[in-house]
Amino acid sequence: MSQSTVYITGAGVSAESGIPTFRGKDGFWTIGSANYTPQEMATREMYLSHPDEFLLWYYQRFASYRHVKPNLVHLWLSDKNLITQNIDGLDGKAGNQSYIPIHGRLDKVTFLHDQGTPVPIEDAPWDEIAKTCPDNDETLLKAALLDAFRISPKTLTPEPMVSLKPFVLLFDEYYTDLYRISEAEQRMQAAECFVFMGTSFSVNITNIALNHALRSGAAIHIVDPEPVDIGIPGIVYHAMKAQDYIAQ
């Protein structure tokens, strides 16, 4: 795997696999729950205060895509130096053994822990939950989710190092080495070229990557059908889908 180019991918790369982007018309961040906006749902505070609502929303919005297959772009990236914002795990399914899922993975969980504390990463119980609630009844689903994530239905209070939490970086959390941030920055420091694919530049990891690129003088390429003009001289914009870019 060449370290000279680092690829930073976002939701646009997985759109061809049938996974919604985050900010499109039908995107994840335009669809909330009955009582909360997506930005309110995807927080550690919501998980701690309303774990039943949080887990139901997460299960319905994310875990439902756990069996989606990788597309040609994921396969092309399978031997690349890759850092992805996506939690769908498709890069791993495509065969990339060293990619960094900087925001976590939907097929994994951890114990509830203080941020920065090392904890094991385990397989998520989504399939078992689906077998328990095949008709998607929300009342049954909430009960099954609380049971699987070891949260008392009476107290509705997740317990540190007892209850489980989806392995996903939430809006009010920060990058830690559980999400391999130090390794990601080491790769960025060694890179001579940065290729951003299918990202809206609305998350912190893209800002971190841009700062590394600017400090080192690395080349910067942006691949997107409607690329965001980030106002930095010298950037090469490729106004196309990722699958068209890799076909060149």
Side-chain angles (χ1 to χ4, degrees):
M1 178 181 67
S2 173
Q3 296 294 323
S4 61
T5 299
V6 63
Y7 294 83
I8 315 283
T9 61
V13 167
S14 293
E16 290 296 316
S17 291
I19 298 179
T21 59
F22 283 79
R23 290 167 176 82
K25 184 178 71 171
D26 298 317
F28 285 123
W29 295 156
T30 64
I31 305 171
S33 70
N35 302 307
Y36 303 98
T37 68
Q39 289 76 10
E40 291 173 323
M41 291 303 304
T43 62
R44 186 182 184 92
E45 179 182 359
M46 182 61 71
Y47 164 75
L48 293 174
S49 61
H50 297 84
D52 53 341
E53 290 276 354
F54 173 90
L55 291 171
L56 178 66
W57 177 81
Y58 188 88
Y59 179 85
Q60 292 178 331
R61 299 295 179 269
F62 293 97
S64 58
Y65 293 99
R66 65 192 181 280
H67 297 311
V68 169
K69 304 297 183 183
N71 61 52
L72 290 176
V73 180
H74 298 113
L75 295 172
W76 184 83
L77 289 165
S78 64
D79 62 350
K80 304 296 189 294
N81 182 11
L82 173 63
I83 301 168
T84 186
Q85 302 165 38
N86 300 330
I87 67 169
D88 52 42
L90 293 180
D91 293 291
K93 291 180 180 180
N96 194 317
Q97 300 299 309
S98 62
Y99 84 104
I100 297 178
I102 200 68
H103 292 155
R105 286 174 48 175
L106 69 80
D107 62 339
K108 300 294 181 181
V109 296
T110 67
F111 288 108
L112 172 62
H113 62 284
D114 292 332
Q115 293 181 79
T117 302
V119 289
I121 300 170
E122 303 178 354
D123 291 337
W126 306 128
D127 287 343
E128 291 80 1
I129 293 167
K131 291 176 184 176
T132 304
C133 306
D135 59 355
N136 216 33
D137 178 277
E138 290 195 355
T139 300
L140 294 177
L141 256 179
K142 282 185 178 181
L145 286 161
L146 290 172
D147 181 62
F149 280 77
R150 305 170 194 168
I151 300 170
S152 168
K154 294 182 180 179
T155 65
L156 289 179
T157 302
E159 299 179 57
M161 301 308 296
V162 174
S163 300
L164 301 179
K165 173 187 174 292
F167 178 45
V168 59
L169 189 72
L170 299 168
F171 279 138
D172 52 353
E173 295 181 321
Y174 52 85
Y175 296 117
T176 68
D177 282 339
L178 185 67
Y179 296 91
R180 299 167 63 186
I181 184 60
S182 295
E183 183 183 352
E185 293 208 70
Q186 289 171 0
R187 294 192 188 188
M188 294 174 190
Q189 290 166 2
E192 298 175 0
C193 179
F194 288 70
V195 180
F196 296 88
M197 305 177 76
T199 178
S200 61
F201 289 89
S202 56
V203 295
N204 286 338
I205 196 63
T206 51
N207 293 328
I208 292 170
L210 283 171
N211 286 333
H212 278 289
L214 293 173
R215 280 199 297 268
S216 66
I220 301 173
H221 294 254
I222 296 176
V223 181
D224 195 273
E226 298 179 0
V228 176
D229 184 351
I230 55 179
I232 298 174
I235 291 180
V236 180
Y237 293 92
H238 304 267
M240 61 182 68
K241 293 182 177 180
Q243 59 264 37
D244 295 327
Y245 175 80
I246 67 172
Q248 294 184 122

